[in-house]
Amino acid sequence: MISIQSSTSKPFSPDSVQNGSELTLSGSVYRIRDMGSFAFIILRTARHLVQCVFDPLKCDFELSSIQENSTVRVTGIVKLDARAENGFELHINYITVLSTPYAQMPICINKKGLNISLETNLENRPYVLRNHRQRAVFKLQEGIVSGFRNHMLANGFTEIHSPKIVKTGAEGGANIFKMDYFGNKAYLAQSPQFYKQTMVGVFDRVFEIAPVYRAEKHNTSRHLNEYISLDFEMAYINDMYDVMAMETSMLRAVMNELETNYSPELKLLNVDLPKIDVIPALTFMEAKSILKESGHKIKNFYDFEPDEELAISEYIKKEYNSEFVFITHFPSSKRPFYAMDDKEEPDYALSFDLFFRGLEITTGGQRIHRYEEQVQKMKDKDLDPDEFESYLMIHKYGMPPHGGLGIGLERLLMKLLNQQNVREASLFPRDLSRLAP
Amino acid sequence: MISIQSSTSKPFSPDSVQNGSELTLSGSVYRIRDMGSFAFIILRTARHLVQCVFDPLKCDFELSSIQENSTVRVTGIVKLDARAENGFELHINYITVLSTPYAQMPICINKKGLNISLETNLENRPYVLRNHRQRAVFKLQEGIVSGFRNHMLANGFTEIHSPKIVKTGAEGGANIFKMDYFGNKAYLAQSPQFYKQTMVGVFDRVFEIAPVYRAEKHNTSRHLNEYISLDFEMAYINDMYDVMAMETSMLRAVMNELETNYSPELKLLNVDLPKIDVIPALTFMEAKSILKESGHKIKNFYDFEPDEELAISEYIKKEYNSEFVFITHFPSSKRPFYAMDDKEEPDYALSFDLFFRGLEITTGGQRIHRYEEQVQKMKDKDLDPDEFESYLMIHKYGMPPHGGLGIGLERLLMKLLNQQNVREASLFPRDLSRLAP
């Protein structure tokens, strides 16, 4: 028998290096630049590229014994140098090779620009992600998630985990994945809607960060069949504007988190973070009027077409200098059965979208909390309340006024980086034709 | 057009109340105790039960206008009182009723003990979870997740999100859910194994908190068909003991998080947190010898039966005063194809389990990082390397030595609370016969 102690291994941070001190780093040999009398060995560590200097007079090994994509442990002396990427160079004393690649990569990944198609990128994702700019995208994804979560926790929201194999779809429509569950028909959750409302009855405020599934049968640049939804739901609201205010402060917290803790990646990818002060809100009808006045021909009277989302966003950017805009009061007929209708204008739901740089990234609103109102709305939409027995328990036995929203993580990241295709913002995207890697 | 400001609503904390000050709280009326000349109205807020005092001489409404399970906004004056549950009472000035229940709950949930079967509990979960002790279970679940995540982030691990609809199962065996994916056969991920190894090649250290799926065809008290897996994977390890050390320090961080930030729930549920100093580790053969010496008849030579996990845990508790024990060097034939074998004794894998209070909660180990070794191991296990083309890219183009593990969140929570059935530790459990709620 032996005893396992706590781990003492700590990650490396370039901020803590001291001039003249010895430093040992592990990493992958990203690039070797032979300068003749010496060489640069660029080490790819967990987060940073570190410039190591090989001087044959000071090392008892040959440069040729080191190859790109080997993993190594390097020991050397720190020399602070403001010109170097992280403010220092490591002058190598010795290197231990830990592993060597079996083959050369078909795609050269140690350059700034990859010059490959998205298709090729996705096919070769397992190693293309090792490119320092590619991986920075997903470090920023982590930052968005951290910013979201920290804001929720600080505001008294409880984190929940709800099942993704479900008996009933929450969002309706045909875009739901079916599966066999021990002889019963089951679905993959389109959203955690029922569960987060249920948990609002328990904890007042809840959030969840988890995959959701949409069996979209078309390949577009803005749809994924599996994506990460950032959901929150909050009780004791006065109206849906409380939900929108919470999203506004959350988005500010996210941008602040990125600015504070992710500056290497923001710099590397040249990211222009949106400034968020207040966010303008238009009603659906106001937005359609603006479109019409600007000469746009309205074809869809219940929702917005992609070009309309773009046009509205451009208008708001120009007139109000905001890269975000809320649209409220959507036609009730196209919003889900759990959306509360406006008591004064029942054809419109107390429901909203948020557009960011021309793309819808959020749908949310106030939910029905009264039992009879929810049962009636189901009937009005030709749904059978008996199918929703356990969901309706929450209304039957008392629910506070509440509302919430869902944000598509990959869409938010995509627009933040001004990417052209949402697949770029997903580690391993799932679409009509893509199940691997 | 209107402008949406940031949210200013902050959650209530009992620590910040001041004697004699006015306080407004939102919540659900949990219990009314009519004492004749006055009444206690117990308010269920997001996290705390608050004792409110109704004095008919000071309020301009009748007690009969308030009913249990209504949601209300209460304004009153704080009176500090060490005997009260949160150290204060709220002497009511007025109450606004926000919603009233449609019906009375069939199960009385505002008592300490529920006195219902697990079956009844699960059927009525949407409102049974409103019981203050039931919900405390899931507040502690949040605490475990927070402790895990904070430890990972502080140690340079990057959070990732990998797809759950996959082309190939990672863990083998028959317990995998199948589904149709636009005419192709797909599966629900049994673990994020391939993806976390892939991302170790990108970020060196990664973790993921996400659902995984096991089509277990038996109903036991320790299996769920969908559960939350806490996964981490780390590069540049010397051996699997580095992974075990990281788990040891992570578990200490989790217990510390619970102790620091979840004391109301620990107290409410009378939780006895395990003390973690070092964790003993036995080899598989050592463990089997101990079982044999204590008169146990060994029937399974490749793994442990539930009664063996219990017997080993009891032995370690008695001899070494540890509620955790690692078992290392499992027979290679029963461990997955990505497990690295012990070079000196190739019949055993560099693979481990962690038992906690008699139950396996973790499987982990060192993984194969060399391409030829991984291809050979696949062939030895009658697997076709061509089926794993994108996974093998990571080995082919260079991988650091690495290892990792997965922890069943519900199992850890279950044993922490000394629950008898893992379903109690899942908000909405999925089992052979349960798809709803």
Side-chain angles (χ1 to χ4, degrees):
Chain A
M1 204 206 74
I2 60 169
S3 285
I4 307 298
Q5 314 280 333
S6 282
S7 175
T8 53
S9 87
K10 284 284 169 191
F12 153 72
S13 164
D15 299 336
S16 61
V17 299
Q18 294 195 324
N19 198 33
S21 64
E22 189 180 87
L23 177 66
T24 297
L25 291 177
S26 299
S28 177
V29 175
Y30 197 51
R31 197 164 54 232
I32 300 175
R33 283 165 58 202
D34 193 344
M35 311 299 281
S37 61
F38 70 104
F40 291 117
I41 297 177
I42 310 299
L43 194 68
R44 182 171 60 80
T45 68
R47 191 170 180 183
H48 305 277
L49 297 183
V50 175
Q51 181 154 298
C52 304
V53 182
F54 169 83
D55 179 345
L57 302 175
K58 291 185 183 158
C59 296
D60 60 356
F61 63 90
E62 301 289 317
L63 184 62
S64 60
S65 67
I66 308 297
Q67 58 174 306
E68 287 179 356
N69 300 317
S70 286
T71 66
V72 297
R73 187 168 290 129
V74 184
T75 299
I77 302 297
V78 170
K79 290 219 174 143
L80 294 187
D81 185 338
R83 294 165 304 174
E85 190 156 322
N86 294 295
F88 79 98
E89 285 180 339
L90 190 65
H91 286 252
I92 301 172
N93 288 337
Y94 47 91
I95 290 187
T96 309
V97 176
L98 303 170
S99 73
T100 51
Y102 173 80
Q104 288 301 308
M105 292 178 184
I107 297 163
C108 179
I109 62 136
N110 62 8
K111 299 281 162 61
K112 193 179 168 188
L114 280 172
N115 281 323
I116 52 173
S117 68
L118 179 57
E119 184 66 25
T120 304
N121 181 327
L122 296 180
E123 286 298 319
N124 296 279
R125 207 84 164 145
Y127 66 92
V128 166
L129 286 169
R130 297 179 188 175
N131 172 268
H132 65 301
R133 288 168 58 88
Q134 287 286 306
R135 70 176 186 172
V137 171
F138 298 96
K139 198 71 192 171
L140 292 175
Q141 187 187 64
E142 174 192 79
I144 293 174
V145 171
S146 285
F148 172 78
R149 185 170 49 221
N150 293 342
H151 185 75
M152 293 292 108
L153 289 172
N155 282 276
F157 287 72
T158 295
E159 186 172 14
I160 61 166
H161 304 279
S162 69
K164 305 307 159 200
I165 301 181
V166 295
K167 196 181 172 187
T168 323
E171 307 306 325
N175 67 347
I176 189 162
F177 284 109
K178 293 178 194 66
M179 61 176 284
D180 171 75
Y181 190 81
F182 303 115
N184 291 306
K185 189 157 66 172
Y187 302 97
L188 294 185
Q190 295 163 304
S191 84
Q193 188 61 35
F194 297 162
Y195 296 107
K196 61 181 184 159
Q197 284 186 261
T198 300
M199 296 313 293
V200 149
V202 174
F203 287 125
D204 293 2
R205 293 180 163 195
V206 298
F207 73 99
E208 180 165 9
I209 299 161
V212 295
Y213 301 89
R214 304 282 172 109
E216 305 288 353
K217 288 180 189 66
H218 43 274
N219 265 323
T220 81
S221 62
R222 43 162 57 194
H223 288 94
L224 291 168
N225 295 96
E226 174 172 2
Y227 68 89
I228 300 296
S229 186
L230 309 176
D231 277 274
F232 73 72
E233 199 79 11
M234 56 196 281
Y236 301 106
I237 59 171
N238 294 307
D239 49 43
M240 71 172 163
Y241 299 107
D242 285 346
V243 180
M244 293 156 70
M246 187 58 74
E247 180 164 30
T248 301
S249 56
M250 180 276 290
L251 287 167
R252 289 171 65 156
V254 165
M255 299 313 152
N256 188 51
E257 170 75 20
L258 293 176
E259 201 165 6
T260 308
N261 293 321
Y262 293 84
S263 59
E265 290 78 16
L266 293 176
K267 201 176 143 204
L268 187 62
L269 299 181
N270 205 13
V271 179
D272 189 17
L273 289 181
K275 303 281 170 285
I276 304 172
D277 179 19
V278 297
I279 296 182
L282 300 172
T283 65
F284 180 85
M285 289 307 287
E286 283 174 342
K288 286 287 183 183
S289 292
I290 288 167
L291 287 168
K292 213 173 154 187
E293 276 165 29
S294 69
H296 194 93
K297 187 154 183 196
I298 310 293
K299 278 167 282 181
N300 186 338
F301 293 93
Y302 299 100
D303 204 345
F304 293 99
E305 297 296 322
D307 64 322
E308 293 179 328
E309 293 180 8
L310 199 61
I312 290 288
S313 286
E314 282 171 357
Y315 170 86
I316 291 290
K317 174 85 173 101
K318 199 171 130 229
E319 297 291 324
Y320 301 95
N321 197 29
S322 172
E323 302 204 86
F324 292 89
V325 54
F326 283 112
I327 311 289
T328 64
H329 297 85
F330 275 74
S332 180
S333 60
K334 292 289 172 173
R335 299 303 262 200
F337 66 82
Y338 51 76
M340 185 183 277
D341 289 335
D342 190 343
K343 298 288 172 286
E344 284 160 29
E345 292 193 83
D347 286 348
Y348 296 92
L350 298 171
S351 176
F352 64 87
D353 279 3
L354 179 68
F355 298 169
F356 173 39
R357 292 181 180 167
L359 182 67
E360 179 240 301
I361 61 163
T362 290
T363 295
Q366 181 161 7
R367 326 301 190 181
I368 297 171
H369 61 272
R370 287 183 55 245
Y371 178 73
E372 293 127 303
E373 187 177 339
Q374 183 60 82
V375 168
Q376 189 56 51
K377 185 91 176 260
M378 285 174 172
K379 288 178 180 165
D380 292 347
K381 288 196 176 260
D382 286 328
L383 294 166
D384 178 2
D386 290 345
E387 294 278 309
F388 299 90
E389 190 192 342
S390 50
Y391 173 56
L392 283 169
M393 283 180 186
I394 67 172
H395 308 82
K396 194 182 256 178
Y397 305 126
M399 271 299 274
H402 66 286
L405 56 78
I407 301 163
L409 171 61
E410 295 83 353
R411 282 192 174 189
L412 175 52
L413 179 59
M414 167 196 180
K415 296 311 290 186
L416 202 62
L417 302 186
N418 291 313
Q419 293 170 333
Q420 299 306 304
N421 194 309
V422 70
R423 289 164 183 76
E424 298 176 61
S426 171
L427 276 180
F428 303 100
R430 291 291 170 264
D431 63 26
L432 258 183
S433 55
R434 197 175 307 280
L435 253 176
Chain B
M1 204 206 75
I2 60 171
S3 285
I4 307 298
Q5 315 281 331
S6 283
S7 175
T8 54
S9 88
K10 283 286 168 189
F12 153 71
S13 164
D15 300 336
S16 61
V17 299
Q18 293 196 325
N19 197 34
S21 65
E22 189 180 88
L23 178 66
T24 297
L25 291 177
S26 300
S28 177
V29 175
Y30 197 52
R31 198 164 53 231
I32 300 176
R33 282 165 58 203
D34 191 344
M35 313 297 283
S37 61
F38 70 102
F40 290 116
I41 297 177
I42 310 299
L43 193 68
R44 181 169 61 78
T45 68
R47 191 171 180 182
H48 305 278
L49 297 183
V50 175
Q51 181 155 297
C52 304
V53 182
F54 168 83
D55 180 345
L57 302 176
K58 290 185 184 158
C59 296
D60 61 355
F61 62 91
E62 300 290 316
L63 184 61
S64 60
S65 68
I66 307 298
Q67 59 173 304
E68 286 180 355
N69 301 315
S70 285
T71 67
V72 296
R73 187 168 290 129
V74 184
T75 298
I77 302 297
V78 169
K79 290 219 173 146
L80 294 186
D81 184 340
R83 294 165 304 173
E85 189 157 322
N86 295 295
F88 79 99
E89 285 180 339
L90 190 66
H91 287 251
I92 302 172
N93 290 337
Y94 47 90
I95 290 188
T96 309
V97 176
L98 302 171
S99 73
T100 50
Y102 174 80
Q104 288 301 308
M105 293 178 184
I107 298 163
C108 177
I109 63 135
N110 62 8
K111 299 282 162 59
K112 193 178 167 188
L114 280 171
N115 280 324
I116 52 173
S117 69
L118 179 58
E119 184 65 25
T120 303
N121 181 327
L122 297 179
E123 285 299 318
N124 295 280
R125 205 83 164 150
Y127 65 91
V128 166
L129 286 168
R130 296 178 189 177
N131 172 268
H132 65 299
R133 288 169 58 88
Q134 288 285 307
R135 71 175 187 173
V137 171
F138 298 96
K139 199 71 192 171
L140 292 175
Q141 188 187 66
E142 173 192 80
I144 294 174
V145 171
S146 285
F148 172 78
R149 185 171 49 223
N150 292 342
H151 186 74
M152 294 291 108
L153 289 171
N155 282 276
F157 286 72
T158 295
E159 186 172 15
I160 61 166
H161 305 278
S162 69
K164 305 306 158 200
I165 302 180
V166 296
K167 197 180 170 187
T168 323
E171 307 307 325
N175 68 346
I176 188 162
F177 283 109
K178 292 177 195 65
M179 62 176 285
D180 172 74
Y181 190 80
F182 304 115
N184 291 305
K185 189 157 67 172
Y187 303 97
L188 294 185
Q190 296 163 304
S191 84
Q193 188 62 35
F194 297 162
Y195 296 106
K196 61 180 183 159
Q197 284 187 259
T198 299
M199 295 313 294
V200 149
V202 174
F203 286 125
D204 293 3
R205 293 179 164 195
V206 297
F207 74 99
E208 180 165 8
I209 298 162
V212 295
Y213 301 89
R214 304 283 171 108
E216 305 289 353
K217 286 180 192 68
H218 44 274
N219 265 323
T220 80
S221 62
R222 45 162 55 195
H223 287 95
L224 290 168
N225 295 97
E226 174 171 4
Y227 68 90
I228 300 296
S229 186
L230 309 176
D231 277 275
F232 73 71
E233 200 78 13
M234 56 195 282
Y236 301 106
I237 59 172
N238 293 307
D239 49 43
M240 70 171 164
Y241 299 108
D242 285 346
V243 180
M244 293 157 69
M246 187 58 74
E247 180 164 31
T248 302
S249 55
M250 180 276 290
L251 287 169
R252 287 171 66 157
V254 165
M255 299 313 152
N256 188 50
E257 170 74 20
L258 293 176
E259 201 165 6
T260 308
N261 295 320
Y262 293 85
S263 59
E265 289 78 18
L266 293 176
K267 201 176 142 201
L268 187 62
L269 299 181
N270 205 12
V271 179
D272 190 17
L273 288 181
K275 303 281 170 288
I276 304 171
D277 179 19
V278 297
I279 297 182
L282 301 171
T283 66
F284 180 86
M285 289 307 288
E286 283 173 342
K288 287 288 183 182
S289 292
I290 288 167
L291 288 168
K292 212 172 154 188
E293 276 164 30
S294 67
H296 194 92
K297 187 154 185 196
I298 311 293
K299 278 168 281 181
N300 185 338
F301 295 94
Y302 298 100
D303 203 346
F304 294 98
E305 298 295 321
D307 64 323
E308 293 179 330
E309 292 180 9
L310 198 62
I312 289 288
S313 285
E314 282 171 357
Y315 170 86
I316 292 289
K317 175 84 172 105
K318 197 172 130 226
E319 298 290 325
Y320 301 95
N321 196 29
S322 171
E323 303 203 84
F324 292 90
V325 54
F326 283 112
I327 312 289
T328 63
H329 297 85
F330 275 74
S332 180
S333 59
K334 292 289 171 174
R335 299 301 262 200
F337 66 82
Y338 50 77
M340 184 182 278
D341 290 334
D342 190 342
K343 298 290 173 284
E344 284 159 28
E345 292 193 81
D347 286 348
Y348 295 92
L350 298 171
S351 176
F352 63 86
D353 279 4
L354 179 69
F355 298 169
F356 173 40
R357 294 181 178 166
L359 182 68
E360 179 239 301
I361 62 163
T362 291
T363 295
Q366 182 162 5
R367 326 301 190 182
I368 297 170
H369 61 273
R370 287 182 56 244
Y371 178 74
E372 293 128 302
E373 188 178 338
Q374 183 58 84
V375 169
Q376 188 56 51
K377 185 91 176 261
M378 286 173 170
K379 289 178 180 165
D380 292 347
K381 288 197 175 259
D382 286 328
L383 294 165
D384 178 3
D386 291 345
E387 293 278 310
F388 300 90
E389 189 192 344
S390 51
Y391 173 55
L392 283 169
M393 282 179 186
I394 67 173
H395 308 82
K396 194 183 256 179
Y397 305 126
M399 271 299 274
H402 67 284
L405 55 77
I407 300 164
L409 171 61
E410 294 84 353
R411 283 191 172 189
L412 175 53
L413 179 59
M414 167 195 180
K415 296 311 289 185
L416 203 62
L417 302 186
N418 292 313
Q419 293 170 332
Q420 298 305 304
N421 194 308
V422 71
R423 287 164 184 76
E424 298 176 62
S426 172
L427 276 181
F428 303 100
R430 292 292 171 261
D431 63 27
L432 257 183
S433 55
R434 195 175 310 279
L435 252 176

